[in-house]
Amino acid sequence: NAGVTQTPKFRVLKTGQSMTLLCAQDMNHEYMYWYRQDPGMGLRLIHYSVGEGTTAKGEVPDGYNVSRLKKQNFLLGLESAAPSQTSVYFCASSLATGELFFGEGSRLTVL
Amino acid sequence: AQSVTQLDSQVPVFEEAPVELRCNYSSSVSVYLFWYVQYPNQGLQLLLKYLSGSTLVESINGFEAEFNKSQTSFHLRKPSVHISDTAEYFCAVMRGGNKLVFGAGTILRVKS
């Protein structure tokens, strides 16, 4: 009963390096989201997708790109990592009900 | 635009005492409201939600929240907390496009 799976769970990058976070869901959900969580700031929406082949910007999209080539996968890319992108990243998926199902998070440190 | 304010960043409480975690929202339209819980080193889980109907909603583990339109509040309550309730709690409001806007979170610390 996997639900939402994020890989990797931990990553350390140097400033300027690139990486991709992978999110996979097995619930056939149309909607998928990437949030970042920082202390005292709650969760902020980076990008989201309302279906296969679609993506849209959230509150804090700068420095990130996303792709949704398959319905079950939602990729978050950092082209040139910066220390300000040190955070915990959460992927979520949902039906059109507002109930989001979250992965366990990916902790990224940018040195 | 909808936003969410959680009025307390941390709430310490003794076991078996009642607790209230406060949440206010701003919105000019009908709202869907949610409480999520995050246990250490885990993702968020839905605790309860208000979509329509009865203004008092309950979860399976004894929490309840009341939608108060006049005060634009959706406070979370539990009459008697357990150590296992120690977690961070997030209030959220739904925006267009099925997106949730989250508050900053309230850490509930239950002490024995």
Side-chain angles (χ1 to χ4, degrees), chain A residues 31 33 35 37 40-43 45 48 90 94-100 102-104, chain B residues 34 36 38 41-44 46 49 51 88 90 94-95 97-100 102-104:
Chain A
Y31 297 82
Y33 314 83
Y35 285 88
Q37 183 179 23
M41 303 187 73
L43 277 76
L45 183 64
Y48 65 102
F90 285 98
S94 78
L95 299 169
T97 60
E99 179 177 358
L100 271 60
F102 283 84
E104 293 190 346
Chain B
F34 305 83
Y36 281 79
Q38 184 181 32
N41 299 314
Q42 294 186 25
L44 281 70
L46 180 67
K49 61 185 177 183
L51 302 181
E88 189 162 14
F90 293 91
M94 181 186 284
R95 291 178 59 184
N98 210 52
K99 302 187 295 292
L100 292 189
F102 288 88

Side-chain angles (χ1 to χ4, degrees), chain A residues 8-88:
Chain A
K9 290 186 170 42
F10 302 93
R11 186 74 188 269
V12 178
L13 290 178
K14 295 181 179 179
T15 297
Q17 287 185 318
S18 63
M19 74 159 295
T20 300
L21 297 176
L22 171 63
C23 177
Q25 54 99 358
D26 62 2
M27 297 173 283
N28 202 34
H29 287 168
E30 290 293 336
Y31 297 82
M32 295 188 75
Y33 314 83
W34 276 107
Y35 285 88
R36 61 177 288 174
Q37 183 179 23
D38 302 290
M41 303 187 73
L43 277 76
R44 292 179 292 168
L45 183 64
I46 304 171
H47 287 281
Y48 65 102
S49 168
V50 301
E52 180 179 315
T54 74
T55 63
K57 294 180 180 180
E59 302 171 67
V60 289
D62 294 342
Y64 305 95
N65 57 75
V66 288
S67 65
R68 183 118 181 253
L69 299 179
K70 294 183 179 181
K71 186 176 184 179
Q72 64 267 33
N73 295 337
F74 195 30
L75 278 63
L76 177 71
L78 286 71
E79 292 184 346
S80 180
S84 60
Q85 294 177 304
T86 293
S87 187
V88 182

